[in-house]
Amino acid sequence: MKVVLVFCVLAVGAIWAAPQGNPADAQILKYESDNIGIDGYSFQFETSDGTSRSEQAELRNAGTDAASIVVRGSYSYIGPDGTQYVINYVADENGFQPEGAHIPK
C-alpha cells in the first residue's frame, strides 16, 4: 500500500513539473522584419512560450565571383527541463557555426 501511495505522489509531482501548454498555442509577442532586397535582411520575434529569434544577413563582395551572404543570429527557447537555452550562430563561407553554453566544443 505504501509503495502505491509513493508512486502516486511521484506521478503527480512529475505531472506538475512537466511543461504546461501546447507550443502550438504560443502567441506572438513581438515581430519585426526588414527585407532590404538583394543586399540582405533582418528579422526578430518573441513568443509567449519563451522562444525568441533574431537574424541579420548581409551580402559581401557584391558583383564579384566571391559574392556571398553572411548570416548572424541567435535563438533561445525554454527546454523541457525548464532551462533557457541560447544559441548564437554565424553562417558564412565556413558553414554553420553555432555556439551555446550547452553545446560541446
Side-chain angles (χ1 to χ4, degrees):
M1 180 70 167
K2 289 180 184 180
V3 173
V4 172
L5 181 59
V6 169
F7 178 74
C8 289
V9 169
L10 290 174
V12 169
I15 290 170
W16 282 336
Q20 301 298 309
N22 181 347
D25 295 333
Q27 302 294 312
I28 297 171
L29 303 177
K30 178 180 180 179
Y31 177 78
E32 296 176 14
S33 178
D34 185 16
N35 184 348
I36 55 177
I38 196 165
D39 293 331
Y41 64 87
S42 67
F43 70 86
Q44 62 180 335
F45 68 82
E46 290 180 31
T47 61
S48 60
D49 67 352
T51 300
S52 66
R53 182 172 173 193
S54 66
E55 185 173 291
Q56 306 81 38
E58 67 176 289
L59 179 63
R60 290 195 182 159
N61 303 313
T64 70
D65 289 341
S68 64
I69 193 160
V70 176
V71 178
R72 296 181 187 281
S74 68
Y75 62 94
S76 66
Y77 62 94
I78 307 299
D81 60 357
T83 301
Q84 180 181 31
Y85 293 93
V86 178
I87 295 88
N88 298 303
Y89 60 89
V90 174
D92 59 14
E93 63 274 0
N94 297 313
F96 181 69
Q97 305 149 57
E99 294 180 353
H102 64 289
I103 298 175
K105 301 209 185 258

